Amino acid sequence: MKTKSSLVILLILLGVVSMARAQSAADAAAIKQTALDYIEGWYEGNAERMERALHPELAKRIVRTNKEGISRLDQMSAMSLVLGTRRGGGKNTPKEKQQKDVTILDVYENAASVKVVASDWIDFLHMAKFNGRWVIVNVLWELKTG
């Protein structure tokens, strides 16, 4: 009897673990696709892909420091990214230079951190699962040097 109960508990636990893994795999695929919609949308000049990837209240920021060492925070909105993409975005970037390396750094519940290495910059994306869909809510980016 005790063995039978232990076996039932083990099977239930294995079911829960496999469901969690399946969810994580599905989330990982959706997170990566969101990052690709963002960067490939930019390179393609595809505003629909860009817009699909972004939360409407997204903030994309970069710290710029002048020669005197004084820094300022520049910001772009979701709308400015979508409009910039619609105007052609990165379409002038040759295919062979269209770097789009996506690395999922961390995922916890409905939050994810993702690194995208593009041709001329690096983006650190914060994503959220919003109404069942992964979207980018924040981007901190830096231009590549050299």
Side-chain angles (χ1 to χ4, degrees):
M1 181 71 169
K2 195 172 191 179
T3 306
K4 202 176 202 179
S5 295
S6 296
L7 183 59
V8 169
I9 291 171
L10 179 64
L11 289 173
I12 290 170
L13 288 174
L14 286 174
V16 169
V17 168
S18 67
M19 282 175 52
R21 258 194 223 130
Q23 180 63 40
S24 295
D27 280 336
I31 290 165
K32 183 169 185 176
Q33 186 59 56
T34 298
L36 289 173
D37 281 343
Y38 166 76
I39 192 61
E40 289 176 352
W42 174 255
Y43 287 136
E44 295 167 3
N46 185 331
E48 290 75 28
R49 282 188 81 181
M50 176 64 79
E51 188 168 19
R52 181 172 60 229
L54 308 179
H55 185 279
E57 296 180 39
L58 167 133
K60 181 173 181 173
R61 297 180 172 107
I62 186 169
V63 174
R64 298 193 190 266
T65 305
N66 66 20
K67 293 174 187 169
E68 291 79 36
I70 299 170
S71 298
R72 72 176 193 275
L73 193 61
D74 286 346
Q75 179 172 315
M76 290 181 266
S77 66
M79 184 57 69
S80 64
L81 283 170
V82 171
L83 291 175
T85 302
R86 185 168 286 130
R87 285 191 301 269
K91 285 178 84 170
N92 292 332
T93 307
K95 287 268 188 215
E96 65 276 2
K97 296 206 184 224
Q98 291 183 6
Q99 188 175 358
K100 45 191 168 189
D101 302 333
V102 174
T103 305
I104 298 173
L105 302 173
D106 197 13
V107 180
Y108 182 77
E109 299 288 340
N110 296 312
S113 291
V114 180
K115 180 180 179 182
V116 174
V117 179
S119 56
D120 296 321
W121 67 90
I122 297 173
D123 286 321
F124 292 95
L125 314 177
H126 283 152
M127 292 190 193
K129 195 170 192 180
F130 192 82
N131 292 328
R133 228 171 38 85
W134 286 98
V135 291
I136 304 165
V137 294
N138 289 308
V139 181
L140 182 62
W141 65 293
E142 191 67 49
L143 289 168
K144 288 181 179 177
T145 54

